[in-house]
């Protein structure tokens, strides 16, 4: 009596591994003999484009540049990071553990075959792992963009069988490995959606459907604010939208706060900082439209799009937030501490102290995100100098490289103890960990300062990296973290630069940093259930 056979003519009584191998080969040959309409001019080229991840790096660059927001940039970054993890695992473990030979090409039409055949082992498919990892990483941050990328990833995976360089099981195993790599990375570096909604202290603000009674000031030279103005007008037809140059920002904000029921602002964190001080002084609620390069404050409120702000304005949902404060401020009683125009660090025009007397404006300076001394102010200053010349992102990379090569630690006395430091970071609220580095704040009205110090020593770049990995640990050879309500910094050399919300000022020798609890009302959409 004959034993039963599978559709591919393989008896299940054969050892499972041999049965799977023969079934895999039968499927491969069946697919090789079939005609795939429209695939011949597309799939071989697509397979070659995906070599070394070049296709996905190009997609990520396009997504970051043209995706239209921070969510698209995060999706691109997570896609590339997931690809890197999958590629490392595939090439270092997968292909070495299972040394499977490539399929014979006798059954594959010559027109489908690649001009350059791969020389590595067959299992698992590295192209499929990279494609699945990238698509999964993108989808974890943005389902919409994930749905756009998924067909491309499926096509790349299919092209590996179509061109005859992989068995179907190689592709399935690679895809499973890629998905697993993206999910494993999410376990280490969570997506924003996995964080709990920020804690809220409800604020009182008028409901302004269609933006009636709202005056929005747009900094036309801040990040993407100029292009964001049109969506603001479309979403809020009754709002008054006013564009201005950076030099006119403060005066325009003052006029807008005086004639509207609420003040709106579109720009980066520095622009939002200026609007927050004006809104607080006039006692009006603030509506923040993300339009800068980073938009930390808006994102920590859960605001990523114009529609988020429109929803909050329609319902009148708002929260109270703390404002960080430092004294003396950038325009304190003794006048400005440094130049108004950015200068290249190390240039003969770099300031070494106060530039002279000026008109007193306010004894305090304010920050919504963070205040810092040491490496970061140097980074900001270099970035601001080069950004108009080479673009924001290249300038940021150049600034980071130059800052990490620095060899002059900051000498300062913090809360009565003198120490050399590479970085003093004071956050407005406690920053939660997002993987190895501090990231999102869970509450913006906790009354606390997140104080972090990186001690000086050799190799500042490595020490800063070690501090980032240490996260919020309170004891570390290179890093210390504290929770405070007030911080005193003294012993600073006159002209020492400091940064606050992306702006740069210059110290005169002593600084006091504290907070104004629940000092600002900001429109904020209610958490999604």
């Amino acid at each position: 009596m004959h034993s039963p056979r599978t559709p591919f003519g393989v008896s299940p009584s054969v050892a499972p591994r041999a049965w799977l191998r023969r079934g895999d080969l039968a499927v491969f040959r069946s697919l090789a003999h079939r005609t795939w309409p429209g695939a011949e001019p597309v799939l071989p080229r697509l397979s070659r484009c995906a070599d070394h991840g070049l296709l996905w790096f190009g997609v990520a660059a396009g997504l970051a540049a043209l995706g239209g927001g921070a969510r698209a940039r995060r999706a691109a970054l997570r896609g590339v990071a997931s690809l890197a993890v999958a590629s490392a695992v595939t090439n270092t473990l997968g292909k070495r553990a299972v040394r499977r030979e490539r399929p014979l090409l006798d059954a594959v039409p010559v027109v489908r075959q690649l001009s350059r055949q791969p020389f590595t082992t067959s299992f698992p498919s590295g192209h499929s792992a990279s494609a699945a990892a990238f698509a999964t990483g993108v989808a974890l941050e943005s389902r919409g963009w994930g749905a756009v990328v998924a067909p491309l990833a499926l096509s790349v995976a299919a092209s590996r069988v179509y061109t005859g360089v992989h068995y179907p099981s190689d592709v399935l195993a690679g895809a499973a490995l890629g998905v697993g790599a993206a999910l494993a990375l999410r376990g280490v570096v969570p997506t924003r959606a996995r964080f709990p909604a920020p804690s809220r202290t409800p604020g009182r603000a008028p409901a302004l459907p269609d933006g009636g009674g709202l005056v929005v000031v747009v900094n036309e030279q801040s990040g993407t604010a100029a292009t964001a103005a049109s969506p603001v007008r479309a979403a809020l037809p009754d709002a008054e939208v006013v564009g201005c140059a950076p030099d006119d920002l403060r005066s325009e904000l003052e006029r807008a706060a005086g004639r509207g029921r609420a003040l709106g602002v579109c720009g980066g964190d520095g622009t939002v900082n200026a609007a927050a001080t004006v809104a607080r002084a006039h006692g009006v609620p603030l509506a923040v439209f993300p339009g800068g390069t980073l938009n930390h404050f808006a994102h920590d409120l859960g605001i990523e799009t114009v529609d988020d702000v429109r929803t909050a304005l329609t319902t009148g949902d708002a929260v109270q937030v703390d404002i960080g404060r430092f004294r003396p401020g950038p325009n304190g009683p003794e006048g400005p501490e440094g130049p108004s125009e950015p200068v290249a660090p190390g240039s003969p025009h770099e300031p070494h102290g106060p530039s002279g007397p000026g008109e007193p404006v306010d004894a305090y300076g304010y920050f919504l995100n963070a205040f810092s001394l040491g490496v970061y102010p140097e980074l900001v200053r270099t970035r601001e100098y080069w950004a108009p010349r080479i673009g924001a992102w290249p300038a940021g990379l150049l600034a980071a490289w130059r800052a990490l090569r620095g060899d002059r630690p900051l000498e300062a006395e913090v809360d009565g103890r003198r120490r050399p430091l590479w970085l003093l970071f004071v956050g407005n609220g406690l920053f939660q960990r997002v993987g190895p580095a501090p990231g999102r704040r869970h509450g913006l009205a906790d009354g606390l300062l997140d104080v972090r110090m990186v001690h000086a020593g050799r190799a500042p770049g490595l020490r800063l990296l070690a501090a980032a990995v240490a996260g919020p640990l309170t004891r570390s050879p290179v890093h210390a973290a504290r929770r405070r309500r007030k911080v005193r910094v003294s012993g600073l050399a006159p002209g020492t630069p400091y940064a606050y919300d992306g702006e740069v000022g210059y110290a005169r020798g002593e600084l006091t940093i504290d907070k104004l609890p629940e000092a600002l009302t900001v429109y904020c959409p209610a958490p999604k259930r």
Side-chain angles (χ1 to χ4, degrees), residues 144-155:
W145 284 114
V148 172
V149 173
L152 186 61
L154 288 172
S155 299

Side-chain angles (χ1 to χ4, degrees), residues 201-223:
T201 301
R204 299 181 61 182
L208 304 176
D210 295 328
L214 174 70
V215 183
V216 183
V217 178
V218 179
N219 183 349
E220 295 178 335
Q221 296 184 22
S222 176

